[in-house]
Structure formats: structure tokens, C-alpha cells
Amino acid sequence: MSIMSYLGAIGAAQREAMEADERVVIVGEDVEANVYGTTGGGKSRSSEGDFLQMFGRNRIRNTPISEEGIVGIAAGAAMTGLRPIVDLSYSSFLYMAMDQFVNQVAKNRYMFGGQASMPVVFRSAMFYGLNTGAHHSDRPYPMFMNVPGLKIIAPASPEDAKGLLRAAIDSDDPVLAFEAVKLWGLKGEVGDEPFRIPLGVARTVKEGTDVTLVAISGSVPDACAAADRLGEEGVSVEVIDPRTLVPLDTAAILTSVAKTGRLVVVEPAHRTCGAAAEISALVAEEVFDALKAPIVRLTAPDMQIPFSPSLEQQMYPTRDGIAAALRRVTGLKPA
Amino acid sequence: MRTDIPTSTLLEMQRRMTRIRRFEERAAKMVKRGLIPGTVHTSIGQEAQVVGSCMALDDDDYMTGNHRSHGHPIGKGSPLGPLMAELVGKATGVCRGKGGSLHLADFSVGSLGESGIVGSSIPIATGSAFASKLLGRPRVSLAFFGDGAANQGVLYEAMNMAGVWKLPAIFLCENNQYALSTPAHTVTSGNIFERAAGFDIPGVRVDDGQDVIAVYDAVKTAADRARAGEGPSLVEVMTYRFNEHSEGLRIDNYRDKEQISEWLSRDPLDRLAGHLRDRGITDEQLKQLDAEVMEEVDRAVEFANESPYPEPSVAFEDLYTDEVTAV
């Protein structure tokens, strides 16, 4: 085990996958210069472990700023023998390629009766909470959850980032990886050897008995902090990170809520039709009888993201807000 | 006309064009009688452009199509039975009844699929060319698209990447001059084939796209160039669809009768039949070829009719390669 950053773990998974399989290639905007730090040992072209030097321009390649074309070309390449990892940098850029994602990537295998397989990974980063304004702050993973045929991962720890990305690269189906940039610098213990975390298996971050707190992506650290605070107040919180949003580990969530009888779901995406909405509906349908309190969703409001730090910071769930919700559903008085 | 194409190849061209014609005539009838559900777009009238392109490719070359795409897999050599079964929605359809007329694909002949979204399959073909280049396999990829798709931005994203990376790709514009009812010249600035110049790749126009040999020549040149590692080409082929945009649409106020009859007088099947007669092929032989194709179409329809509909559970298969339960 080594202490590794989330970003370093992404780089490690990419490097291991490229070493293991020549069909794995990386394409995207600014990948050759390692601008975001996932395609090399450092930010300098000459630093050790630089992907361009290790694998050559055939296997790591800058693209023009043509998201629709990039996504479609990666899909066509995946259908005919390559296993591309596409770095789309900002998650907001995915919209430029919406037709390719929805009509080609997600549908081709199905509508051609299983003739196609689509082993391609699309990585993108959600730059929310960083004062980048409305065009760079999107958390669009729920939109893509609404598209059958795509698999979606949203790892929240360095260990999960490495293991899930590796499993995504191994998958013969298209996988979208959403990374919260606020997690990129997060450090944690990561296995040095190659390993994979299967898609569709949630991580119970913390076991508890009084309330289930499901947290997604960048909300996980805040959820853990809030859970710790409630622990000091005598409430036992079970924190579950689904890690994979499609397929969703429904059993882990339902089993936990059946045990605790309470659910708080927290995520940085918009409220309407979000992952939290989906998980809430699932719990209400399946384990309604176990519920001792109304379900609480903590999300961003259905509002655009403003630029000014004084405006933006109120837009996402906070650890104080999560703690307050946990107190509410467990009947504790506000602290 | 060029003389170095063997008569056997010309006969195969005639056979494939006839297959498209007879297959689609039958499909149109079946739509009218309610035997084919949904919508059907025929390429009747465009057979020379389809077959000339497909036969200029090798068997394992890739291609993608559009909404008007029965002809593409047929031109590439697909058996007719599974295609007709797909149009009818049967379990034996080439896409197991999941695709239908708008989404035929036959990977066994390199057909990576049609797209019901105009222009959307162009980067898919380009991506297969990218894979061929990186994997070092000598395959060419051809993207069929119409004059309508020529105004989609993604075409130029794909052409740019194919150009800068010298991908073995052919962008084949089937210019039948109308995007449904909209005349191409009213919505298209400049000539489509000349847009290639902006990407520093060859762009040619086949003005007589009803001549299968002219199309074959142009596409063969592009394919040879692509296979030699010299990069992509744009080939625009002027052609005309004889039927309406889609069967049963019954909107015919945008093309005048004179224009239609002028194009009908240059039927691609008659044109090649003329060449074949010059080569000593008899009317009897041509009739025999047509009869054989009619028999093939009959058998395909029989196959489709006798095949079962898919089980309802099939609707929940093929979304992923592994078992993921639909919610």
C-alpha cells in the first residue's frame, strides 16, 4: 500500500491498463502534456513516467476540441478493436457530444441486437465549488443515469478511483467516470498492485445502526465528517457510497435502510430527477414499512451555479446541513 | 467506359443493384399492405451509387449508413433473409428485431450500422478507421451520408481528425439533392465536395452517379489511397431517389414531374444492362439474373414470414454485455 492522491490513483490505473493491454489508448484534449496530471509522473514532459514517452503518440493522443467527433470516433474505435479511454476534461463539455453518447454509444449494442460491444471509458471532471462559474461547474451524472446502456462510476476515494477505473477499462460496455475535482487532491491508502473494484458494488464507508446516509461523489467526505459529529452526539450513522451509479447497488442501500429505518441522501447534483431522487424513490417503494421518518434529500437547488465565492458556496450540501438533516430524522434537537 | 473491370464483376454489380431494387420494391409493397411496421426509406434510383461504393471496398472493410440504408448491407453482400426478417420485426432479423429498417447492421459484412440520426454515424466509421490505423490492419472505412448530413457539424469534426491523422476513411456523400423536401441548393453554401479542400484532403464529385462504374472508379481511387496510408477522401455522388422520402408519406409537391422523368430515364440498372450487352451478355442472361434475384427476394420474404416474433424477454437483452437488470 502507498499513500496516493485521487489524481495519482487515476494515473496509476491508466498506466497499468495501458501496460497490460495494447488496445488501451488515451485520447482527449491536452492529454499529451499531462495538463491535468493523470497521464504522467509529473507536469513536465521530461519527468519519469510520462505517458507520451512510455507509450508513444499512437497510444496517447491530443484531439482537437471536437467533443462530438471525439466521442463518436472513440465509439467507432471501440466497436472495432480498441479500448479507448477518452479524457473529456470538464463534465460540462459532455453536452457537446450528447448525440453520440445517447444515440450511438448507449444504443448501438442494443439496436444492433448485440452485434456491437463498446469497451470505452469517458472520463470527465466536475469543477464545482471552485468558482469557475456556470459553464464549468456542472454535475451532470444524473442526466446520463437516465440513458440506458451507459454505466456510470463516481469514485470518492483514491482506492476506489484506481480500482473502479481499472474495472471500467476492463468492461466491454461504455463507462462514464465522473470525478469531483475537489476530490483530486484527496490522499489515501491505495494498493500498489493492479486491482479492480467490480462495478455495481457499494462501499459501506462507516457502519451504523440509527440512520443510513447515502453520499455521492464529492459529498462523501462531508457526509463522513457529519456522521462523525453525530457519533459524538450519540447517533450511529451508516455511510454508504454507491461508487457506481449504474448499475446501482440497490441491495446495499435497501438492506441498510431496512436496518436503520431512516434515510438521508446527499449529492452535489440538481434536485429534480437526481441520483438522490432515484434512491429515495427506490427506498420508498421497496422498504417503506421500515421507515421511521421521512426520507431527506440534500442536493444542489434547481438553480445555475453563480461565479462569486460568496454566492457559490451556498449551492451544495455542507457538513453542517448534513448534520442538521441527520439530527432531524433521528429526532435530535438542532445542535 | 473503362474496360479493365471483368465482366464477372459487372455482372455482380448488376446482381447487387437488382437485389436492392427488388428487395425494396417488395418492402414498399409490404409497407402498403401493413406487413412491415414503422417507416421505410428506399434507395431505389440510387443503386449505382450504393453498389459502386460497396464493391470498391474489400469484404472486411467497414462502413456506416443512414436512415436510407437497406442498400448498403445488400451492396456489401449481406444475405437478404435476415434483412427482410428485421424489417418485419422477427427474431431471425439481423438485429434480432431490435433495429428495424432504420437501424440495420450486419457486422459480418463490415456494416457497422445505420443511424436514424442524420450525420450521427459518420464519426463511428471514422473511429473504425482510427482503430484500423492504430492496430495496423489494412482496412478502409466508408461513411455514407446524404446532402442533408453534409450540413451537420460532426462531419467536419470527423473530416478534420481523419485528415490530420491520415485515417483510412472515405466520406461518401450520396447527394440525392433533397433533404426530405428541402432542395440541397437552398440550404447548402457552395459545393459539398469542395469542402474537402479546407481539410487538405481530396474531394471529388461524380456527376453521373447513376453510372455504377463511375462511382466504383472514384471510390476505388479513394480506397486505394486510404489503404496506402495516404489518408481520407471526400467523394460526392450526384444521384436521385425515385420513390418518395419514406413509403406512404404522400408528399410530392417539391419535385417537378419533368425532373423526375428525366432521372427515371437514366435508371442505373438499365445503364449497366446496356454496358453488359456491349460485352456480349444476352437479354436472356439478364432476364435470368433478374429472375434469380426475384427468387432470392421471395425466399427472403418467406424466411421472414415463417420466422417467429421475438420473445418479449428479448426486449430486455443486449443492453450490456453482462447481466444488468433493467430497473
Short mmCIF file of all heavy atoms in Angstrom, two decimals, chain A residues 275-299:
data_model
loop_
_atom_site.label_atom_id
_atom_site.label_comp_id
_atom_site.label_asym_id
_atom_site.label_seq_id
_atom_site.Cartn_x
_atom_site.Cartn_y
_atom_site.Cartn_z
N ALA A 275 -29.77 11.67 -8.65
CA ALA A 275 -29.50 10.35 -8.09
C ALA A 275 -30.19 10.21 -6.74
O ALA A 275 -30.71 9.15 -6.39
CB ALA A 275 -27.99 10.14 -7.94
N ALA A 276 -30.21 11.30 -5.97
CA ALA A 276 -30.88 11.27 -4.66
C ALA A 276 -32.37 11.00 -4.82
O ALA A 276 -32.98 10.26 -4.04
CB ALA A 276 -30.65 12.58 -3.92
N ALA A 277 -32.97 11.58 -5.85
CA ALA A 277 -34.39 11.35 -6.11
C ALA A 277 -34.63 9.88 -6.43
O ALA A 277 -35.58 9.26 -5.94
CB ALA A 277 -34.86 12.24 -7.27
N GLU A 278 -33.75 9.32 -7.24
CA GLU A 278 -33.90 7.93 -7.64
C GLU A 278 -33.76 7.00 -6.43
O GLU A 278 -34.55 6.08 -6.22
CB GLU A 278 -32.85 7.58 -8.71
CG GLU A 278 -32.90 6.16 -9.20
CD GLU A 278 -34.25 5.77 -9.74
OE1 GLU A 278 -34.91 6.61 -10.38
OE2 GLU A 278 -34.66 4.61 -9.51
N ILE A 279 -32.76 7.27 -5.62
CA ILE A 279 -32.51 6.41 -4.45
C ILE A 279 -33.66 6.56 -3.45
O ILE A 279 -34.13 5.58 -2.86
CB ILE A 279 -31.15 6.77 -3.82
CG1 ILE A 279 -30.02 6.31 -4.76
CG2 ILE A 279 -31.00 6.16 -2.43
CD1 ILE A 279 -28.65 6.88 -4.44
N SER A 280 -34.16 7.76 -3.30
CA SER A 280 -35.29 7.99 -2.39
C SER A 280 -36.53 7.22 -2.84
O SER A 280 -37.22 6.59 -2.04
CB SER A 280 -35.63 9.48 -2.32
OG SER A 280 -34.52 10.20 -1.88
N ALA A 281 -36.79 7.29 -4.14
CA ALA A 281 -37.97 6.59 -4.67
C ALA A 281 -37.82 5.09 -4.49
O ALA A 281 -38.77 4.39 -4.11
CB ALA A 281 -38.13 6.93 -6.17
N LEU A 282 -36.62 4.60 -4.74
CA LEU A 282 -36.35 3.18 -4.59
C LEU A 282 -36.64 2.71 -3.15
O LEU A 282 -37.34 1.71 -2.92
CB LEU A 282 -34.88 2.93 -4.94
CG LEU A 282 -34.36 1.52 -4.78
CD1 LEU A 282 -34.77 0.70 -5.99
CD2 LEU A 282 -32.84 1.54 -4.65
N VAL A 283 -36.15 3.48 -2.20
CA VAL A 283 -36.33 3.12 -0.79
C VAL A 283 -37.82 3.20 -0.42
O VAL A 283 -38.36 2.33 0.25
CB VAL A 283 -35.47 4.02 0.11
CG1 VAL A 283 -35.89 3.93 1.57
CG2 VAL A 283 -33.99 3.66 -0.07
N ALA A 284 -38.49 4.25 -0.90
CA ALA A 284 -39.91 4.41 -0.58
C ALA A 284 -40.73 3.24 -1.16
O ALA A 284 -41.68 2.78 -0.54
CB ALA A 284 -40.42 5.74 -1.13
N GLU A 285 -40.34 2.79 -2.33
CA GLU A 285 -41.08 1.68 -2.95
C GLU A 285 -40.80 0.34 -2.29
O GLU A 285 -41.70 -0.48 -2.12
CB GLU A 285 -40.70 1.57 -4.44
CG GLU A 285 -41.36 2.61 -5.32
CD GLU A 285 -40.93 2.50 -6.78
OE1 GLU A 285 -39.83 2.00 -7.05
OE2 GLU A 285 -41.71 2.92 -7.64
N GLU A 286 -39.54 0.14 -1.92
CA GLU A 286 -39.14 -1.21 -1.52
C GLU A 286 -39.17 -1.46 -0.01
O GLU A 286 -39.42 -2.57 0.40
CB GLU A 286 -37.73 -1.51 -2.07
CG GLU A 286 -37.62 -1.45 -3.58
CD GLU A 286 -38.41 -2.55 -4.28
OE1 GLU A 286 -38.57 -3.64 -3.68
OE2 GLU A 286 -38.88 -2.31 -5.41
N VAL A 287 -38.83 -0.47 0.79
CA VAL A 287 -38.75 -0.73 2.25
C VAL A 287 -39.52 0.34 3.03
O VAL A 287 -39.10 0.75 4.11
CB VAL A 287 -37.28 -0.84 2.74
CG1 VAL A 287 -36.63 -2.10 2.22
CG2 VAL A 287 -36.45 0.38 2.35
N PHE A 288 -40.65 0.73 2.45
CA PHE A 288 -41.47 1.77 3.10
C PHE A 288 -41.81 1.41 4.55
O PHE A 288 -41.76 2.24 5.44
CB PHE A 288 -42.76 1.97 2.28
CG PHE A 288 -43.65 3.05 2.81
CD1 PHE A 288 -43.37 4.39 2.56
CD2 PHE A 288 -44.76 2.74 3.57
CE1 PHE A 288 -44.18 5.39 3.05
CE2 PHE A 288 -45.59 3.74 4.07
CZ PHE A 288 -45.29 5.06 3.80
N ASP A 289 -42.14 0.15 4.75
CA ASP A 289 -42.58 -0.27 6.08
C ASP A 289 -41.48 -0.11 7.13
O ASP A 289 -41.78 0.00 8.32
CB ASP A 289 -43.04 -1.73 6.05
CG ASP A 289 -44.34 -1.87 5.28
OD1 ASP A 289 -45.00 -0.83 5.04
OD2 ASP A 289 -44.70 -3.00 4.90
N ALA A 290 -40.24 -0.11 6.68
CA ALA A 290 -39.14 0.01 7.65
C ALA A 290 -38.88 1.45 8.05
O ALA A 290 -38.18 1.71 9.04
CB ALA A 290 -37.86 -0.60 7.05
N LEU A 291 -39.45 2.39 7.30
CA LEU A 291 -39.10 3.80 7.53
C LEU A 291 -39.74 4.34 8.81
O LEU A 291 -40.94 4.19 9.04
CB LEU A 291 -39.52 4.66 6.34
CG LEU A 291 -38.69 4.50 5.06
CD1 LEU A 291 -39.31 5.31 3.91
CD2 LEU A 291 -37.25 4.93 5.30
N LYS A 292 -38.92 4.98 9.62
CA LYS A 292 -39.40 5.59 10.87
C LYS A 292 -39.50 7.10 10.74
O LYS A 292 -39.98 7.77 11.65
CB LYS A 292 -38.42 5.26 12.00
CG LYS A 292 -38.26 3.78 12.27
CD LYS A 292 -37.08 3.55 13.23
CE LYS A 292 -36.75 2.08 13.34
NZ LYS A 292 -35.40 1.87 13.89
N ALA A 293 -39.00 7.63 9.64
CA ALA A 293 -39.03 9.09 9.44
C ALA A 293 -39.04 9.36 7.95
O ALA A 293 -38.64 8.50 7.16
CB ALA A 293 -37.78 9.72 10.07
N PRO A 294 -39.51 10.53 7.56
CA PRO A 294 -39.48 10.85 6.11
C PRO A 294 -38.04 10.85 5.58
O PRO A 294 -37.11 11.21 6.30
CB PRO A 294 -40.07 12.26 6.03
CG PRO A 294 -40.82 12.44 7.31
CD PRO A 294 -40.11 11.62 8.34
N ILE A 295 -37.93 10.46 4.32
CA ILE A 295 -36.62 10.50 3.65
C ILE A 295 -36.22 11.95 3.45
O ILE A 295 -37.07 12.80 3.16
CB ILE A 295 -36.72 9.78 2.28
CG1 ILE A 295 -37.04 8.30 2.49
CG2 ILE A 295 -35.45 9.97 1.46
CD1 ILE A 295 -37.50 7.59 1.22
N VAL A 296 -34.94 12.24 3.58
CA VAL A 296 -34.45 13.61 3.32
C VAL A 296 -33.43 13.58 2.19
O VAL A 296 -32.50 12.77 2.20
CB VAL A 296 -33.82 14.23 4.59
CG1 VAL A 296 -33.17 15.58 4.25
CG2 VAL A 296 -34.86 14.39 5.68
N ARG A 297 -33.64 14.47 1.22
CA ARG A 297 -32.65 14.66 0.15
C ARG A 297 -31.89 15.96 0.39
O ARG A 297 -32.53 16.99 0.66
CB ARG A 297 -33.36 14.81 -1.20
CG ARG A 297 -33.77 13.54 -1.86
CD ARG A 297 -34.40 13.85 -3.21
NE ARG A 297 -35.70 14.51 -3.10
CZ ARG A 297 -36.26 15.20 -4.09
NH1 ARG A 297 -35.63 15.37 -5.25
NH2 ARG A 297 -37.43 15.77 -3.92
N LEU A 298 -30.60 15.91 0.28
CA LEU A 298 -29.78 17.13 0.31
C LEU A 298 -29.07 17.21 -1.03
O LEU A 298 -28.27 16.34 -1.38
CB LEU A 298 -28.77 17.06 1.45
CG LEU A 298 -29.37 16.97 2.85
CD1 LEU A 298 -28.29 16.62 3.85
CD2 LEU A 298 -30.05 18.29 3.23
N THR A 299 -29.37 18.24 -1.78
CA THR A 299 -28.84 18.37 -3.14
C THR A 299 -28.53 19.83 -3.41
O THR A 299 -28.82 20.69 -2.59
CB THR A 299 -29.89 17.92 -4.18
OG1 THR A 299 -30.97 18.85 -4.15
CG2 THR A 299 -30.43 16.52 -3.89
#
